[in-house]
Amino acid sequence: MPSFASNLICPYCYQPFPARKVLFRCTGLLGPKGERCAPARDPALSRRFGMNEPLPPVFGGRLPVVNALRTAARCPRCGGESTLRVCPHCHSQLPVHFGRVDSRLIALIGAKGSGKTVYMTVLLHELMHSVGRRFDAAVVGSDDHTRSEFSKKYEETLYRRNVLPGTTRPGQAELRRPLVFKVTLDGGRRLLRARDRHTITSFFDTAGEDLISRRSVDLNVRYLRAADGIILLLDPLQMRGARAGVRPGTPLPELDERTDSPVNVLTRVTEVLHEAHGLGPSRRIDVPVAVAFSKIDALRHAFPPDSPLLRDPPEDRPVFDQTDSLAVHDHVRALLHEWDGAQIDQIMRRNYAAFRYFGLSSLGGSPTADNRVDPRGIHPYRVADPFLWLLSRFGAVPSTKG
Ligand SMILES: Nc1nc2c(ncn2[C@@H]2O[C@H](COP(=O)(O)OP(=O)(O)OP(=O)(O)O)[C@@H](O)[C@H]2O)c(=O)[nH]1
Ligand SMILES: [Mg+2]
Ligand SMILES: [Zn+2]
Ligand SMILES: [Zn+2]
């Protein structure tokens, strides 16, 4: 999405709106007239995200529009000035630079139990720590909800209590709120651009069960339609051909009527994207899709010694390494044939203009029998690759020529 686009897309509810329609939330501080706007439950936030905390009122549309992206407005009730911009649909507070910096919505999808919630947690943790250091990037939650949700719920569960998350509640896409982060790359030390560059990324962790029936896929249609990039997480342990070769002792996900084969998930997501973008069956979808195979730790023992999935990605420079990534891509494509997943490759080639295969492991090893993090800790492998590939496609990080 270009900056100054007339239509912005809210990173929380993924609904589009023209920049001039943005609303403001009163600060709730004492205004110049000596009045103060009282906080109350916001029906829009409550309906869509189940957020009921009392907040000062929302207002808008009163001032002459000097600049569609105006950053402050005066509250008609108390007369106080506010810079807190909110989405006209869901009333979520918009990130500080929203509308003037790149905003990229990244949908994370995959079947039930494919590892999405664990992956999102580990990826963001890595981005905030090691990967962030390498790219000299600051990755911060862009609102209070994201900051507290991420640290109290996601990080706390996995990194401090060492418990794997339970199934993400299905059917409640309306109540679950994407996590919105701002990635700031330090311009001074970057190769391509001189100024700091901000990218707002919004992650929506779907409930795998929402992908089972055609009807519940539609729940996620809005998220898929608005996505600038998609990370499709597929679980090789749910593929017949791969299950046969897992490291002995690896707990295998049960395949029951609530899980769906990766091929079926991909087929359905492809149909939805075709429909959402109004494309005929012969047109290819041009949203970049990172097809990432999770839980690679359970299969690596059988890879040939020269496999790129046995080495670490080059991490000495703040660039996305295309040569390494293409080697992984080719290797995963070859593995797909062994895993009885040749159909996945056919679907990708026929329907997508830009896709790449990845192999990763969020935990770096199997969880324990009672589904806790192994006491040896979390050792993520290649988790940042799909995200960095998307960022490089968005022009937000440099990449080497492949
Ligand atoms: N071996 C291995 N197992 C993993 C890894 N990541 C996740 N798992 C296993 O996969 C299970 C499911 O992971 P989740 O992240 O909850 O999966 P999800 O895709 O969010 O599932 P739903 O919320 O039900 O759609 C975990 O409880 C772990 O047992 C990994 O990197 N390696
Ligand atoms: Mg989940
Ligand atoms: Zn006010
Ligand atoms: Zn919104």
Side-chain angles (χ1 to χ4, degrees):
M1 191 175 61
S3 311
F4 295 101
S6 57
N7 254 324
L8 301 170
I9 296 183
C10 171
Y12 298 94
C13 69
Y14 287 35
Q15 300 214 70
F17 60 91
R20 64 191 154 76
K21 286 276 169 72
V22 80
L23 300 180
F24 288 82
R25 187 179 299 285
C26 178
T27 56
L29 301 173
L30 204 59
K33 302 184 222 159
E35 287 169 50
R36 194 195 300 266
C37 287
R41 192 179 68 103
D42 183 322
L45 278 176
S46 170
R47 196 177 335 115
R48 198 177 296 272
F49 299 120
M51 296 165 80
N52 296 315
E53 57 170 322
L55 291 169
V58 157
F59 62 89
R62 285 292 186 91
L63 290 183
V65 181
V66 190
N67 164 2
L69 289 168
R70 67 213 157 108
T71 49
R74 206 164 284 287
C75 172
R77 280 186 241 181
C78 65
E81 199 177 64
S82 171
T83 55
L84 307 174
R85 298 177 303 156
V86 301
C87 162
H89 300 288
C90 69
H91 289 185
S92 292
Q93 188 182 326
L94 297 168
V96 176
H97 299 288
F98 187 72
R100 277 173 299 158
V101 299
D102 253 9
S103 170
R104 303 295 184 168
L105 312 181
I106 297 173
L108 181 58
I109 51 176
K112 175 174 187 275
S114 54
K116 299 177 294 300
T117 305
V118 172
Y119 176 63
M120 189 174 79
T121 311
V122 173
L123 170 65
L124 287 167
H125 186 92
E126 288 293 291
L127 291 177
M128 290 173 169
H129 299 98
S130 61
V131 183
R133 273 196 301 280
R134 169 174 151 218
F135 282 86
D136 221 338
V139 179
V140 287
S142 99
D143 61 285
D144 293 340
H145 174 270
T146 295
R147 282 188 289 266
S148 71
E149 266 294 276
F150 183 69
S151 69
K152 288 208 200 99
K153 243 175 77 186
Y154 294 86
E155 252 185 336
E156 168 77 23
T157 312
L158 196 63
Y159 284 89
R160 281 184 285 280
R161 290 176 39 227
N162 296 328
V163 181
L164 273 313
T167 287
T168 304
R169 265 185 312 161
Q172 295 213 315
E174 296 300 319
L175 283 181
R176 279 178 304 111
R177 209 160 175 256
L179 298 179
V180 179
F181 288 82
K182 191 170 75 183
V183 182
T184 304
L185 290 139
D186 175 4
R189 290 172 54 189
R190 293 201 39 243
L191 303 175
L192 290 181
R193 287 189 187 76
R195 278 183 304 142
D196 277 4
R197 206 179 149 80
H198 306 281
T199 307
I200 291 163
T201 53
S202 168
F203 287 90
F204 182 64
D205 172 16
T206 49
E209 287 178 40
D210 281 344
L211 290 172
I212 288 209
S213 74
R214 190 50 224 276
R215 195 187 56 80
S216 54
V217 175
D218 293 344
L219 257 183
N220 293 302
V221 165
R222 188 151 34 87
Y223 293 91
L224 285 176
R225 180 174 21 205
D228 296 291
I230 293 173
I231 299 179
L232 174 62
L233 209 57
L234 298 179
D235 182 357
L237 307 187
Q238 295 179 7
M239 297 172 73
R240 252 183 309 118
R243 277 169 91 86
V246 298
R247 189 164 28 86
T250 306
L252 287 176
E254 271 174 51
L255 297 184
D256 56 24
E257 76 287 355
R258 312 197 81 179
T259 46
D260 209 350
S261 74
V263 176
N264 288 352
V265 168
L266 176 59
T267 305
R268 234 172 272 123
V269 167
T270 305
E271 284 169 7
V272 170
L273 284 170
H274 265 293
E275 242 171 68
H277 291 278
L279 298 174
S282 57
R283 288 274 309 281
R284 290 199 288 172
I285 296 154
D286 54 16
V287 184
V289 181
V291 184
F293 289 89
S294 59
K295 312 182 189 177
I296 281 297
D297 55 270
L299 297 157
R300 283 169 87 188
H301 65 282
F303 294 167
D306 61 345
S307 163
L309 284 175
L310 289 177
R311 60 170 191 244
D312 285 324
E315 280 175 350
D316 49 328
R317 288 191 303 153
V319 292
F320 176 73
D321 194 307
Q322 292 286 2
T323 312
D324 171 67
S325 171
L326 287 167
V328 170
H329 173 86
D330 290 337
H331 183 59
V332 172
R333 173 179 280 166
L335 285 170
L336 274 177
H337 289 265
E338 289 175 30
W339 295 344
D340 297 333
Q343 228 186 323
I344 291 180
D345 192 38
Q346 278 167 19
I347 298 174
M348 291 312 299
R349 274 187 300 178
R350 206 175 311 127
N351 295 283
Y352 294 89
F355 69 94
R356 188 163 293 179
Y357 296 123
F358 297 86
L360 55 87
S361 166
S362 310
L363 299 174
S366 296
T368 59
D370 56 348
N371 215 23
R372 294 174 63 87
V373 174
D374 185 286
R376 279 166 298 185
I378 296 173
H379 300 287
Y381 177 68
R382 288 192 180 270
V383 290
D385 290 8
F387 181 72
L388 293 174
W389 177 68
L390 288 174
L391 283 194
S392 77
R393 292 205 54 105
F394 301 153
V397 303
S399 71
T400 62
K401 291 201 181 63

